Amino acid sequence: MRFDVFSIFPQYLAPLELSLIGKARKDGLLELNVHELREFTTDKHRSVDDTPYGGGAGMVMKPEPWAQALESIIDTAAETKPTLIVPSPAGEVFNQALAYELAEQEHLVFACGRYEGIDERVLEWAEEHFTVRPISLGDYVLNGGEVAVLAMVEAIGRLLPGVVGNPESLVEESHADGLLEYPVYTKPSTWRERDVPDVLLSGNHAKIAKYRKEQSLRRTSARRPELIEQMDATNLSKAERNTLWELGYAVVDHKVARRAAPGSTPTQD
Ligand code: SAM
């Protein structure tokens, strides 16, 4: 898979040389090129921004350097359009499902905005050559797109085959099945008078799996209840349904809905 990142601060992307993504690049599992946007300017000040039409605070990124930059990587012989990701607080919110979807692409291009963002006509023009996806890291405003790109490249890159040593670890983690991961523990079994739950020391894999699923439901209900109501309840065990009931939810038609009065005894199957 190929990633191209355009930014006026290419040094901001240096952490992508470290850890698992850095190793994956060295091992040839992914190609990642960082480009300096100012290389695509033609004036002596190498300017990339100008005042906004209509007035108002801040500056807007000029269209021409962006067009030159993006044109430099267009491969007219390619069968599919690359995906152009434009980090923006006004984009669709990035999540694990989107990370999986983007990990299927062959070529992702990231356009890091700064100031008040990129002239809107760049996104319209780019539709001719790219699949354009404005994507937000969350409902808050950053100074530039670089931090969002660091997060997205890491979340997408770790899903590529061979990047994470043990692929099993991708299956059991938060958001893989729509829930948050259960709590984890390591040695020693007693630390500052706090014991690891007995079941985790039992060696009984079925009991451990059951316990972890229950903990996952409890943690998700406490921290992110909206995820419980979005979950697919098709394959829930009776024990899992009972846990949900205890937490104040009922399973109806393979969907989970909040009950009016939590805590009472389950009456459904
Ligand atoms: N004026 C813009 C608005 O209100 O939508 C915000 C511009 S922000 C100061 C500058 C750049 O930071 C954006 O063009 C975008 O690249 C990046 N950015 C800011 N917040 C972001 C977020 N939540 N997710 C992704 N990128 C973000």
Side-chain angles (χ1 to χ4, degrees), residues 147-224:
V147 168
V149 170
L150 288 173
M152 286 190 265
V153 169
E154 184 155 312
I156 297 164
R158 68 194 296 278
L159 300 177
L160 301 178
V163 174
V164 170
N166 182 356
E168 278 291 301
S169 53
L170 299 178
V171 177
E172 288 240 335
E173 63 192 359
S174 295
H175 305 293
D177 64 354
L179 298 176
L180 305 183
E181 194 183 52
Y182 45 79
V184 294
Y185 304 87
T186 185
K187 299 175 191 69
S189 60
T190 301
W191 175 78
R192 297 195 179 186
E193 296 171 20
R194 288 156 205 273
D195 295 331
V196 169
D198 284 344
V199 61
L200 298 179
L201 311 177
S202 71
N204 183 326
H205 296 299
K207 271 193 180 168
I208 291 171
K210 188 174 168 214
Y211 166 82
R212 284 178 165 167
K213 186 66 192 238
E214 182 187 329
Q215 292 301 311
S216 172
L217 289 169
R218 289 186 184 281
R219 173 175 273 187
T220 310
S221 172
R223 296 182 184 175
R224 297 287 304 278

Side-chain angles (χ1 to χ4, degrees), residues 87-90 111-118 135-138 140-145 148:
S88 166
C112 298
R114 282 268 154 182
Y115 317 112
E116 294 307 319
I118 303 171
I135 297 181
S136 170
L137 208 57
Y140 43 80
V141 179
L142 302 162
N143 286 336

